[in-house]
Amino acid sequence: MRSADGDHEAFEGVYDALAGSVMGLTCRILRNTALAEEVTQDVMIEVWRTADRYRPDRGTAKAWVLTLAHRRAVDRVRNVQASTEREQHVAMLSSGRPLDEVAEAVEGRDERRRVYRCLARLGSVHRVPLVLAFYEGLTYLEVARSLSTPPGTIKSRMRAGLRQIRACLEEGS
């Protein structure tokens, strides 16, 4: 690849051939034209700087460039998400409401106690499937298999158990 040797004209050809595909891919991933333009520019600069890393025996130049573009676009999505989450967290902290970790911990513990109390009130027919699902992480089909009970029966028992827990929690509040 002449572009790897620093040939500007060769890179112009690479740019003309691939920039549109890179832009299309990044637009589909980012769903934001301005961000897609930035990522496309970054990718094409990376192609210019790292063209010597391209290995024809591993695939076409287009596939290599689009792989770079895909990775860069996904990184940008993650970066934007993380930035948004940080901003929301800062906004929540600065909203004037003090964050009382002790109060939140006590509230969480109290809520768990209430759930355990309500679970204990259930008969084993309703409690066991719920415990297997929520505390062991089993799906209702896995619960049905482990209890050798038809899936429809397990579903019904779980729904009934959840209704009883909801009623119990509403009584206590």
Side-chain angles (χ1 to χ4, degrees):
M1 190 171 181
R2 292 186 350 233
S3 182
D5 296 329
D7 184 335
H8 291 279
E9 288 179 29
F11 182 71
E12 243 179 75
V14 170
Y15 186 92
D16 291 342
L18 298 174
S21 297
V22 170
M23 181 66 178
L25 176 65
T26 58
C27 268
R28 280 193 303 278
I29 293 171
L30 295 167
R31 296 188 181 117
N32 178 315
T33 306
L35 284 177
E37 287 171 350
E38 285 179 31
V39 170
T40 298
Q41 181 178 0
D42 292 345
V43 168
M44 296 313 292
I45 290 170
E46 183 178 358
V47 168
W48 169 252
R49 289 184 180 154
T50 64
D52 59 329
R53 292 185 191 162
Y54 166 64
R55 300 287 172 254
D57 56 314
R58 291 187 174 178
T60 65
K62 183 175 183 176
W64 178 67
V65 172
L66 291 178
T67 299
L68 293 175
H70 184 268
R71 288 179 184 156
R72 186 67 63 104
V74 169
D75 286 347
R76 183 62 61 97
V77 167
R78 289 179 182 147
N79 188 351
V80 168
Q81 286 174 338
S83 177
T84 301
E85 288 170 7
R86 278 192 303 275
E87 288 172 6
Q88 289 172 346
H89 183 72
V90 167
M92 183 186 80
L93 291 176
S94 64
S95 67
R97 191 192 106 199
L99 182 63
D100 188 349
E101 291 176 22
V102 174
E104 287 181 11
V106 168
E107 190 176 299
R109 234 178 282 128
D110 181 51
E111 202 168 293
R112 276 193 301 278
R113 267 193 229 113
R114 289 176 48 221
V115 169
Y116 290 146
R117 182 178 48 81
C118 292
L119 263 173
R121 284 186 180 178
L122 294 178
S124 64
V125 163
H126 295 107
R127 182 179 57 249
V128 171
L130 289 174
V131 168
L132 289 173
F134 290 98
Y135 294 103
E136 298 298 322
L138 301 180
T139 66
Y140 82 92
L141 290 172
E142 292 169 332
V143 170
R145 260 187 256 122
S146 71
L147 297 176
S148 301
T149 307
T153 302
I154 291 299
K155 238 181 180 176
S156 297
R157 289 177 182 172
M158 290 174 77
R159 269 195 231 113
L162 288 172
R163 277 194 300 272
Q164 290 175 32
I165 288 175
R166 182 184 306 128
C168 174
L169 290 172
E170 287 172 355
E171 282 174 15
S173 46

